[in-house]
Amino acid sequence: MAKKPAAATAKTITVEQVGSPIRREGKQRETLIGLKLNKLHRTSTLVDTPAVRGMIEKVKHLVRVVDGQ
């Protein structure tokens, strides 16, 4: 029996941008871009890894975790 691809079995997390990066530190804007967010109320579904969790933690005041499967 063939194994499923790693990406298909990996847990995902969906985040939504709820705050503006205007008048914020440049690193926070770059972190939002790294999370594939750049406009208010956009959502992005990402693989749930420690790196992504760390990025969310850096901009937790600008994003909302919609769901984590």
Side-chain angles (χ1 to χ4, degrees), residues 15-22 32 37-43 61-63:
V15 292
E16 177 183 8
Q17 183 176 343
V18 295
S20 173
I22 295 174
L32 287 173
L37 300 170
N38 63 349
K39 291 187 179 180
L40 287 176
H41 308 295
R42 286 240 170 122
T43 60
H61 55 288
L62 300 175
V63 299

Side-chain angles (χ1 to χ4, degrees), residues 12-16 44-46 53 64-69:
T12 60
I13 188 166
T14 303
V15 292
E16 177 183 8
S44 178
T45 302
L46 306 160
R53 288 284 181 169
R64 175 173 66 99
V65 177
V66 178
D67 69 350
Q69 298 176 357

